[in-house]
Amino acid sequence: DTGVSQNPRHKITKRGQNVTFRCDPISEHNRLYWYRQTLGQGPEFLTYFQNEAQLEKSRLLSDRFSAERPKGSFSTLEIQRTEQGDSAMYLCASTLGLSYTGELFFGEGSRLTVL
Amino acid sequence: KNEVEQSPQNLTAQEGEFITINCSYSVGISALHWLQQHPGGGIVSLFMLSSGKKKHGRLIATINIQEKHSSLHITASHPRDSAVYICAVRYYGGATNKLIFGTGTLLAVQP
């Protein structure tokens, strides 16, 4: 297992198009997080899964954003009708266990550029 | 005001210098993370601590729960330490499992 994997690493799209990012967490990690990071800022929480259940969703996540983790393994983050403000790095992280203090392992991120 | 404040925002050091990056937070926490992010790269977890001090190689992290403050120290800094260092906290007892991140400290170590 080589860690958390995200793809695509880079995506350039035109405004109004839909994009989907995939995250493959470390196997057996039951918790998966999505974050968004814009230039010069720290990551911002978007949503969180425990197994297949989406337990929390940030107010940053508009109706155009949807995330799934259908079998409790990989997760997808879809953005519909992209806007230029969606341009950012989308980071996925996973951790194991029920404790709130589990160490997080991050993927390399998926960079989105909306033209 | 951000819930997690880091200082300095930018830091330039000469190779070999001792470096300190500070993190202050405004709420009770169950854990604090120090993370490293290289330009264009992913995030690597350096430390997770809830009390005291941890050391790994040339890196040392300390936390003072009463003062709501943590520091990351780098001894004998090297150009390969150049990266963004991010502090993130997890609230104590909250239902949320999200981390609250600082904006990061950009460190450049010159040879």
Side-chain angles (χ1 to χ4, degrees), chain A residues 18-88:
Chain A
N18 298 343
V19 297
T20 299
F21 299 116
R22 175 176 169 132
C23 172
D24 287 89
I26 292 173
S27 52
E28 298 181 357
H29 276 192
N30 58 337
R31 296 181 163 190
L32 185 148
Y33 301 78
W34 284 100
Y35 292 87
R36 180 173 67 187
Q37 185 178 27
T38 53
L39 196 63
Q41 299 297 313
E44 296 174 295
F45 171 79
L46 292 179
T47 190
Y48 151 68
F49 291 85
Q50 183 162 309
N51 300 312
E52 67 275 7
Q54 187 175 20
L55 297 187
E56 189 173 352
K57 192 173 172 180
S58 166
R59 283 171 289 183
L60 291 174
L61 231 57
S62 74
D63 291 343
R64 296 184 296 105
F65 287 71
S66 62
E68 294 182 341
R69 194 181 183 200
K71 297 182 180 179
S73 56
F74 74 91
S75 176
T76 58
L77 176 68
E78 181 183 16
I79 309 173
Q80 296 181 323
R81 305 181 303 282
T82 52
E83 301 173 357
Q84 288 184 325
D86 298 330
S87 296

Side-chain angles (χ1 to χ4, degrees), chain B residues 57-98:
Chain B
R58 294 180 296 105
L59 302 178
I60 303 167
T62 64
I63 188 168
N64 185 316
I65 297 296
Q66 287 73 30
E67 295 185 2
K68 294 186 171 59
H69 181 269
S70 176
S71 293
L72 176 69
H73 305 286
I74 305 175
T75 62
S77 59
H78 190 277
R80 64 174 175 266
D81 297 326
S82 299
V84 175
Y85 292 84
I86 303 172
C87 169
V89 301
R90 193 186 305 276
Y91 289 124
Y92 177 77
T96 182
N97 282 277
K98 63 185 179 185

Side-chain angles (χ1 to χ4, degrees), chain B residues 36-59:
Chain B
Q36 181 192 57
Q37 186 174 32
H38 285 281
I43 294 175
V44 174
S45 177
L46 298 175
F47 294 102
M48 184 182 64
L49 63 165
S50 55
S51 65
K53 176 181 175 178
K54 286 190 176 180
K55 184 176 188 294
H56 181 69
R58 294 180 296 105
L59 302 178

